[in-house]
Amino acid sequence: MGLPIEQTELPQAYPLSELLEHIRQLVKSTYDGTYWIVAEVIELSHSRVGHYYFTLGEMQDGKVVAKVQGNLWAGVARSVMSEFERITGGKIEKGMQLMLQVRVEFTPLYGLSLTILGINAEYTLGNLERLKRLAIERLQTEGVFDMNRLLSLPILPLRLAVISSDTAAGWGDFCRHIEQSGISHLLRIKLFPCIMQGAQTTPSILAALDSIYDEREDFDALLVLRGGGSRLDLSAFDDYELCAHLAQMPLPVLTGIGHERDESVADLIAHTRLKTPTALAEFIVRRVEEALTRLFDVKEGIKTLLSERREEAQEILDHTLLHLRQSLYSLTLNETRRLHRLSTALSIPLRSLSHRSETRLHSLVGSFARTAHRLLSNEKSQLATKQNRLTLSVHERLSSGNYETDRCRDRLTTQLQALRPRQTQLLEHLEAVAKTYDPTHIMRRGFLPVMAEGAPLLSVNQLSHATTLTVVLPDGKATAEVKDILPEE
């Protein structure tokens, strides 16, 4: 036979339903009234018949430290939800902190839950205001509250980054106003679509801000657009994290959020706050138009100044040409007179030299004749010899006098011939200078005036496809139509 089996006594055990029923009775007897609690909506859903199912929780340092199921039954849900929406202007959404009136329930099948009997909407509004004040104080303490207002908004804000919902009425109003303004072709607007209502508003806008920061060199300003809504709808624009990012953006932030009565933290930290998206569009249009008006005024002033300078230059040129002509005439006249005086001055010595030579010749002939007559009586042959010698001497002296006269005349002729080319060359140079500054000569080199609608063409900004151009040529005018306008990049 084998060893006897030792019998072990088992502990007393209860059915689960009995234990849970005991707990239910205990809960019912202990928590038999209603209680006000503060909890955050972690999850929210509803059924077709009108029941709402909440997952309520409490967060500490970003972690859930308590969680329970809350049920708002259809019988009271209609009145509770309507009252909440009437007071706050919005619906209950995930992530919202609520003050709820509840009754503690425990059933063996579903466990612990809270039956919601009411929701204090005033607490929700007050909590939003409290969170708004805390966000403002924190931004001021960290020194970023006024940071964006220190940036300079360009005089011509043409490149705009826009944060809005692509289906929102505010975005549509903004676009329509820009299109009707007549300056839409000057603006480069890029929309960064975002969710603008509900729990995903802040994460969606933060993601868009990251994208805009990466492209910050391509924009002059950042616009945040959101049409009107309730305090709950606009509560995301009081969020500290969102407003801290907006305040520290390297672009001027312009807001058009809600209605005139609404003022969010995003409005307070923005560089410029407008009442509505339409008002923001009007601000952009007015700023661009004013800047363009100033630029056009400057342009007209420059045109007037250039016209005056051109007239002054033309007067100077005309005066210079007149002066050159007068100088050339005076120079030519003076040189002609000088040449005449020189010729006259030279002719007198020449005539005097010739006269003196002839006088001297006659004197010598007479002397020789007298000598010959005196010697004739002494020796006839000797007289003939001396007469021949004297005759030869006379011829030599005559040849010498004629040679000297011819040499003076040749030197004077050479000087006069050398002087004339130099004077002619100077005159031709001055005429070439005058010809170079002749407008007709400039036009023949290819520099032709072009007129647009009767005014000198100075910029492509004067052109349109309906503009008729007039080209001024040396021998007439020609018209042309604008086919392409290609501004220089």
Side-chain angles (χ1 to χ4, degrees), residues 157-184 187-192 221-227 254-257 274 276-286 288:
L158 302 178
R159 305 175 303 162
L160 306 176
V162 179
I163 289 179
S164 184
S165 170
D166 55 358
T167 60
W171 166 244
D173 294 340
F174 176 86
C175 292
R176 278 191 297 273
H177 195 83
I178 293 294
E179 288 294 331
Q180 294 169 1
S181 68
I183 65 163
S184 59
L187 301 178
R188 189 174 70 82
I189 302 173
K190 183 175 180 180
L191 175 66
F192 291 80
L222 166 60
L223 280 55
V224 182
L225 307 179
R226 208 271 187 205
L254 286 70
T255 58
I257 302 173
L274 283 304
T276 62
T278 301
L280 181 51
E282 176 60 25
F283 173 82
I284 295 295
V285 171
R286 187 171 62 252
V288 171

Side-chain angles (χ1 to χ4, degrees), residues 171-466:
W171 166 244
D173 294 340
F174 176 86
C175 292
R176 278 191 297 273
H177 195 83
I178 293 294
E179 288 294 331
Q180 294 169 1
S181 68
I183 65 163
S184 59
H185 62 287
L186 301 176
L187 301 178
R188 189 174 70 82
I189 302 173
K190 183 175 180 180
L191 175 66
F192 291 80
C194 296
I195 298 172
M196 302 299 282
Q197 182 170 331
Q200 294 303 311
T201 300
T202 297
S204 177
I205 295 179
L206 290 176
L209 290 178
D210 290 340
S211 298
I212 295 172
Y213 182 84
D214 293 338
E215 303 176 31
R216 60 190 180 280
E217 298 297 332
D218 297 333
F219 300 108
D220 298 320
L222 166 60
L223 280 55
V224 182
L225 307 179
R226 208 271 187 205
S230 67
R231 285 288 309 279
L232 288 178
D233 295 334
L234 303 177
S235 61
F237 299 99
D238 294 328
D239 182 79
Y240 161 77
E241 184 178 6
L242 173 60
C243 293
H245 277 73
L246 286 173
Q248 298 176 77
M249 283 294 290
L251 296 171
V253 176
L254 286 70
T255 58
I257 302 173
H259 299 296
E260 182 175 357
R261 66 179 182 276
D262 301 316
E263 185 177 64
S264 64
V265 178
D267 291 323
L268 297 176
I269 59 90
H271 180 282
T272 303
R273 179 251 173 142
L274 283 304
K275 301 173 183 177
T276 62
T278 301
L280 181 51
E282 176 60 25
F283 173 82
I284 295 295
V285 171
R286 187 171 62 252
R287 188 175 184 89
V288 171
E289 288 178 342
E290 290 175 354
L292 291 177
T293 299
R294 290 195 294 271
L295 288 176
F296 287 140
D297 291 342
V298 171
K299 176 184 175 183
E300 291 301 318
I302 292 174
K303 287 174 61 178
T304 301
L305 180 62
L306 289 175
S307 178
E308 293 174 354
R309 292 293 181 269
R310 183 171 58 188
E311 292 175 358
E312 292 175 1
Q314 187 63 45
E315 291 178 0
I316 293 173
L317 179 60
D318 293 341
H319 178 74
T320 302
L321 291 174
L322 178 60
H323 180 71
L324 285 173
R325 292 190 182 100
Q326 292 174 346
S327 299
L328 288 172
Y329 176 77
S330 177
L331 180 60
T332 303
L333 184 61
N334 290 337
E335 289 301 319
T336 301
R337 290 174 177 174
R338 180 170 172 271
L339 289 174
H340 180 70
R341 287 196 302 270
L342 182 60
S343 177
T344 303
L346 288 174
S347 65
I348 294 173
L350 287 174
R351 286 196 299 270
S352 177
L353 179 61
S354 178
H355 179 71
R356 285 198 303 270
S357 297
E358 292 176 357
T359 301
R360 185 180 178 189
L361 178 61
H362 289 302
S363 176
L364 287 174
V365 171
S367 177
F368 292 155
R370 287 189 298 272
T371 302
H373 284 295
R374 284 195 306 267
L375 293 175
L376 184 60
S377 59
N378 296 328
E379 190 174 354
K380 203 174 197 179
S381 60
Q382 206 173 23
L383 178 61
T385 303
K386 288 182 179 181
Q387 186 177 3
N388 291 335
R389 188 181 300 160
L390 287 173
T391 302
L392 179 62
S393 177
V394 169
H395 282 298
E396 288 176 352
R397 289 177 180 272
L398 285 173
S399 299
S400 175
N402 290 334
Y403 173 75
E404 189 174 338
T405 301
D406 292 340
R407 188 173 61 180
C408 290
R409 184 180 292 108
D410 291 342
R411 187 163 53 247
L412 175 61
T413 302
T414 302
Q415 291 177 353
L416 291 175
Q417 289 175 347
L419 179 62
R420 181 175 297 276
R422 287 198 299 272
Q423 298 303 318
T424 302
Q425 185 179 5
L426 176 60
L427 181 61
E428 290 175 351
H429 172 69
L430 294 175
E431 289 177 347
V433 171
K435 185 177 180 181
T436 299
Y437 289 97
D438 189 343
T440 303
H441 179 70
I442 294 174
M443 292 169 66
R444 285 173 178 164
R445 290 169 54 194
F447 298 96
L448 303 177
V450 180
M451 314 291 286
E453 305 300 339
L457 179 60
L458 303 177
S459 169
V460 295
N461 294 331
Q462 296 175 242
L463 299 178
S464 68
H465 290 291

